[in-house]
mmCIF file of all heavy atoms in Angstrom:
data_model
loop_
_atom_site.group_PDB
_atom_site.id
_atom_site.type_symbol
_atom_site.label_atom_id
_atom_site.label_comp_id
_atom_site.label_asym_id
_atom_site.label_seq_id
_atom_site.Cartn_x
_atom_site.Cartn_y
_atom_site.Cartn_z
ATOM 1 N N ALA A 1 117.370 121.019 120.747
ATOM 2 C CA ALA A 1 116.151 121.809 120.920
ATOM 3 C C ALA A 1 115.184 121.690 119.787
ATOM 4 O O ALA A 1 114.006 122.006 119.897
ATOM 5 C CB ALA A 1 116.539 123.249 121.115
ATOM 6 N N ASP A 2 115.666 121.211 118.645
ATOM 7 C CA ASP A 2 114.807 121.020 117.513
ATOM 8 C C ASP A 2 113.823 119.877 117.711
ATOM 9 O O ASP A 2 114.138 118.966 118.477
ATOM 10 C CB ASP A 2 115.587 120.705 116.224
ATOM 11 C CG ASP A 2 116.453 121.933 115.851
ATOM 12 O OD1 ASP A 2 116.209 123.007 116.426
ATOM 13 O OD2 ASP A 2 117.342 121.754 115.019
ATOM 14 N N GLU A 3 112.700 119.943 117.057
ATOM 15 C CA GLU A 3 111.735 118.832 117.082
ATOM 16 C C GLU A 3 112.379 117.550 116.637
ATOM 17 O O GLU A 3 112.164 116.505 117.222
ATOM 18 C CB GLU A 3 110.557 119.191 116.260
ATOM 19 C CG GLU A 3 109.429 118.111 116.273
ATOM 20 C CD GLU A 3 108.276 118.458 115.402
ATOM 21 O OE1 GLU A 3 108.120 119.684 115.059
ATOM 22 O OE2 GLU A 3 107.460 117.547 115.134
ATOM 23 N N GLU A 4 113.199 117.639 115.569
ATOM 24 C CA GLU A 4 113.863 116.410 115.072
ATOM 25 C C GLU A 4 114.855 115.884 116.117
ATOM 26 O O GLU A 4 115.069 114.667 116.213
ATOM 27 C CB GLU A 4 114.527 116.680 113.758
ATOM 28 C CG GLU A 4 113.538 116.881 112.602
ATOM 29 C CD GLU A 4 114.201 116.811 111.280
ATOM 30 O OE1 GLU A 4 115.449 116.629 111.254
ATOM 31 O OE2 GLU A 4 113.515 116.972 110.257
ATOM 32 N N GLY A 5 115.565 116.824 116.809
ATOM 33 C CA GLY A 5 116.498 116.396 117.761
ATOM 34 C C GLY A 5 115.885 115.604 118.961
ATOM 35 O O GLY A 5 116.389 114.525 119.350
ATOM 36 N N VAL A 6 114.743 116.076 119.387
ATOM 37 C CA VAL A 6 114.027 115.316 120.410
ATOM 38 C C VAL A 6 113.532 113.984 119.914
ATOM 39 O O VAL A 6 113.613 112.938 120.604
ATOM 40 C CB VAL A 6 112.827 116.219 120.971
ATOM 41 C CG1 VAL A 6 112.004 115.388 121.965
ATOM 42 C CG2 VAL A 6 113.356 117.486 121.589
ATOM 43 N N ARG A 7 113.065 113.967 118.714
ATOM 44 C CA ARG A 7 112.606 112.690 118.130
ATOM 45 C C ARG A 7 113.749 111.727 117.992
ATOM 46 O O ARG A 7 113.586 110.545 118.298
ATOM 47 C CB ARG A 7 111.981 112.944 116.719
ATOM 48 C CG ARG A 7 111.464 111.701 115.998
ATOM 49 C CD ARG A 7 111.204 111.959 114.565
ATOM 50 N NE ARG A 7 112.488 112.131 113.874
ATOM 51 C CZ ARG A 7 112.548 112.339 112.543
ATOM 52 N NH1 ARG A 7 111.408 112.439 111.862
ATOM 53 N NH2 ARG A 7 113.742 112.513 111.955
ATOM 54 N N ASP A 8 114.932 112.240 117.604
ATOM 55 C CA ASP A 8 116.079 111.365 117.518
ATOM 56 C C ASP A 8 116.441 110.794 118.905
ATOM 57 O O ASP A 8 116.799 109.607 118.990
ATOM 58 C CB ASP A 8 117.325 112.115 116.941
ATOM 59 C CG ASP A 8 117.084 112.596 115.566
ATOM 60 O OD1 ASP A 8 116.150 112.070 114.896
ATOM 61 O OD2 ASP A 8 117.808 113.529 115.126
ATOM 62 N N ASP A 9 116.355 111.587 119.950
ATOM 63 C CA ASP A 9 116.641 111.116 121.281
ATOM 64 C C ASP A 9 115.678 109.938 121.666
ATOM 65 O O ASP A 9 116.098 108.909 122.158
ATOM 66 C CB ASP A 9 116.522 112.204 122.287
ATOM 67 C CG ASP A 9 117.592 113.279 122.170
ATOM 68 O OD1 ASP A 9 118.531 113.072 121.381
ATOM 69 O OD2 ASP A 9 117.542 114.290 122.878
ATOM 70 N N ILE A 10 114.426 110.130 121.407
ATOM 71 C CA ILE A 10 113.418 109.165 121.714
ATOM 72 C C ILE A 10 113.641 107.875 120.939
ATOM 73 O O ILE A 10 113.724 106.723 121.539
ATOM 74 C CB ILE A 10 111.997 109.682 121.451
ATOM 75 C CG1 ILE A 10 111.703 110.823 122.420
ATOM 76 C CG2 ILE A 10 110.975 108.570 121.623
ATOM 77 C CD1 ILE A 10 110.444 111.552 122.102
ATOM 78 N N TRP A 11 113.907 108.009 119.631
ATOM 79 C CA TRP A 11 114.041 106.765 118.838
ATOM 80 C C TRP A 11 115.390 106.023 119.163
ATOM 81 O O TRP A 11 115.467 104.830 119.131
ATOM 82 C CB TRP A 11 114.051 107.135 117.354
ATOM 83 C CG TRP A 11 112.622 107.234 116.865
ATOM 84 C CD1 TRP A 11 112.012 108.380 116.332
ATOM 85 C CD2 TRP A 11 111.657 106.231 116.775
ATOM 86 N NE1 TRP A 11 110.746 108.136 115.963
ATOM 87 C CE2 TRP A 11 110.446 106.810 116.196
ATOM 88 C CE3 TRP A 11 111.645 104.900 117.101
ATOM 89 C CZ2 TRP A 11 109.310 106.110 116.001
ATOM 90 C CZ3 TRP A 11 110.478 104.166 116.909
ATOM 91 C CH2 TRP A 11 109.303 104.779 116.354
ATOM 92 N N TYR A 12 116.371 106.867 119.574
ATOM 93 C CA TYR A 12 117.578 106.171 119.984
ATOM 94 C C TYR A 12 117.408 105.333 121.260
ATOM 95 O O TYR A 12 117.799 104.181 121.292
ATOM 96 C CB TYR A 12 118.744 107.193 120.278
ATOM 97 C CG TYR A 12 119.872 106.555 120.973
ATOM 98 C CD1 TYR A 12 120.834 105.814 120.215
ATOM 99 C CD2 TYR A 12 120.123 106.671 122.328
ATOM 100 C CE1 TYR A 12 121.851 105.094 120.847
ATOM 101 C CE2 TYR A 12 121.150 106.025 122.946
ATOM 102 C CZ TYR A 12 122.072 105.231 122.218
ATOM 103 O OH TYR A 12 123.070 104.609 122.799
ATOM 104 N N VAL A 13 116.742 105.915 122.249
ATOM 105 C CA VAL A 13 116.468 105.157 123.474
ATOM 106 C C VAL A 13 115.634 103.973 123.172
ATOM 107 O O VAL A 13 115.908 102.856 123.701
ATOM 108 C CB VAL A 13 115.839 106.097 124.560
ATOM 109 C CG1 VAL A 13 115.344 105.307 125.706
ATOM 110 C CG2 VAL A 13 116.785 107.212 124.975
ATOM 111 N N VAL A 14 114.608 104.129 122.379
ATOM 112 C CA VAL A 14 113.699 102.986 122.126
ATOM 113 C C VAL A 14 114.462 101.837 121.418
ATOM 114 O O VAL A 14 114.459 100.653 121.858
ATOM 115 C CB VAL A 14 112.502 103.415 121.236
ATOM 116 C CG1 VAL A 14 111.731 102.224 120.711
ATOM 117 C CG2 VAL A 14 111.612 104.351 122.028
ATOM 118 N N SER A 15 115.197 102.149 120.349
ATOM 119 C CA SER A 15 115.955 101.139 119.611
ATOM 120 C C SER A 15 117.014 100.505 120.475
ATOM 121 O O SER A 15 117.272 99.285 120.387
ATOM 122 C CB SER A 15 116.531 101.708 118.300
ATOM 123 O OG SER A 15 117.472 102.751 118.590
ATOM 124 N N THR A 16 117.726 101.291 121.288
ATOM 125 C CA THR A 16 118.794 100.745 122.132
ATOM 126 C C THR A 16 118.313 99.944 123.298
ATOM 127 O O THR A 16 118.865 98.862 123.599
ATOM 128 C CB THR A 16 119.639 101.926 122.611
ATOM 129 O OG1 THR A 16 120.092 102.722 121.537
ATOM 130 C CG2 THR A 16 120.843 101.355 123.389
ATOM 131 N N VAL A 17 117.161 100.276 123.832
ATOM 132 C CA VAL A 17 116.610 99.423 124.881
ATOM 133 C C VAL A 17 116.089 98.093 124.322
ATOM 134 O O VAL A 17 116.355 97.025 124.905
ATOM 135 C CB VAL A 17 115.387 100.167 125.587
ATOM 136 C CG1 VAL A 17 114.593 99.234 126.487
ATOM 137 C CG2 VAL A 17 115.904 101.342 126.410
ATOM 138 N N LEU A 18 115.479 98.177 123.150
ATOM 139 C CA LEU A 18 115.062 96.912 122.498
ATOM 140 C C LEU A 18 116.271 96.102 122.154
ATOM 141 O O LEU A 18 116.288 94.821 122.259
ATOM 142 C CB LEU A 18 114.289 97.205 121.250
ATOM 143 C CG LEU A 18 112.872 97.891 121.447
ATOM 144 C CD1 LEU A 18 112.250 98.207 120.092
ATOM 145 C CD2 LEU A 18 111.983 97.007 122.335
ATOM 146 N N LEU A 19 117.366 96.727 121.749
ATOM 147 C CA LEU A 19 118.620 95.998 121.468
ATOM 148 C C LEU A 19 119.081 95.287 122.731
ATOM 149 O O LEU A 19 119.501 94.120 122.659
ATOM 150 C CB LEU A 19 119.647 97.032 120.948
ATOM 151 C CG LEU A 19 121.078 96.468 120.792
ATOM 152 C CD1 LEU A 19 121.115 95.442 119.691
ATOM 153 C CD2 LEU A 19 122.028 97.664 120.414
ATOM 154 N N GLY A 20 119.119 95.952 123.838
ATOM 155 C CA GLY A 20 119.597 95.329 125.080
ATOM 156 C C GLY A 20 118.707 94.205 125.529
ATOM 157 O O GLY A 20 119.178 93.188 126.111
ATOM 158 N N TYR A 21 117.399 94.185 125.177
ATOM 159 C CA TYR A 21 116.530 93.157 125.541
ATOM 160 C C TYR A 21 116.403 92.042 124.485
ATOM 161 O O TYR A 21 115.659 91.090 124.604
ATOM 162 C CB TYR A 21 115.091 93.678 125.778
ATOM 163 C CG TYR A 21 114.890 94.240 127.171
ATOM 164 C CD1 TYR A 21 114.686 95.588 127.395
ATOM 165 C CD2 TYR A 21 114.939 93.395 128.306
ATOM 166 C CE1 TYR A 21 114.522 96.075 128.650
ATOM 167 C CE2 TYR A 21 114.712 93.852 129.581
ATOM 168 C CZ TYR A 21 114.492 95.241 129.777
ATOM 169 O OH TYR A 21 114.368 95.724 131.017
ATOM 170 N N THR A 22 117.263 92.153 123.433
ATOM 171 C CA THR A 22 117.330 91.112 122.414
ATOM 172 C C THR A 22 118.445 90.124 122.626
ATOM 173 O O THR A 22 118.274 88.958 122.515
ATOM 174 C CB THR A 22 117.513 91.791 121.002
ATOM 175 O OG1 THR A 22 116.293 92.594 120.730
ATOM 176 C CG2 THR A 22 117.631 90.746 119.908
ATOM 177 N N HIS A 23 119.628 90.653 122.934
ATOM 178 C CA HIS A 23 120.807 89.785 123.158
ATOM 179 C C HIS A 23 121.816 90.514 124.008
ATOM 180 O O HIS A 23 121.964 91.700 123.928
ATOM 181 C CB HIS A 23 121.393 89.383 121.803
ATOM 182 C CG HIS A 23 122.311 88.204 121.820
ATOM 183 N ND1 HIS A 23 123.628 88.274 122.266
ATOM 184 C CD2 HIS A 23 122.133 86.872 121.535
ATOM 185 C CE1 HIS A 23 124.191 87.055 122.192
ATOM 186 N NE2 HIS A 23 123.266 86.275 121.772
ATOM 187 N N VAL A 24 122.585 89.772 124.792
ATOM 188 C CA VAL A 24 123.562 90.361 125.671
ATOM 189 C C VAL A 24 124.622 91.061 124.942
ATOM 190 O O VAL A 24 125.180 92.087 125.364
ATOM 191 C CB VAL A 24 124.188 89.302 126.592
ATOM 192 C CG1 VAL A 24 125.003 88.337 125.826
ATOM 193 C CG2 VAL A 24 125.024 89.930 127.718
#
């Protein structure tokens, strides 16, 4: 519920999606 918690969720998804599109 914290602002930092939401930010962490967003950055996790962004970095992990980019990871998946980098190498199998």
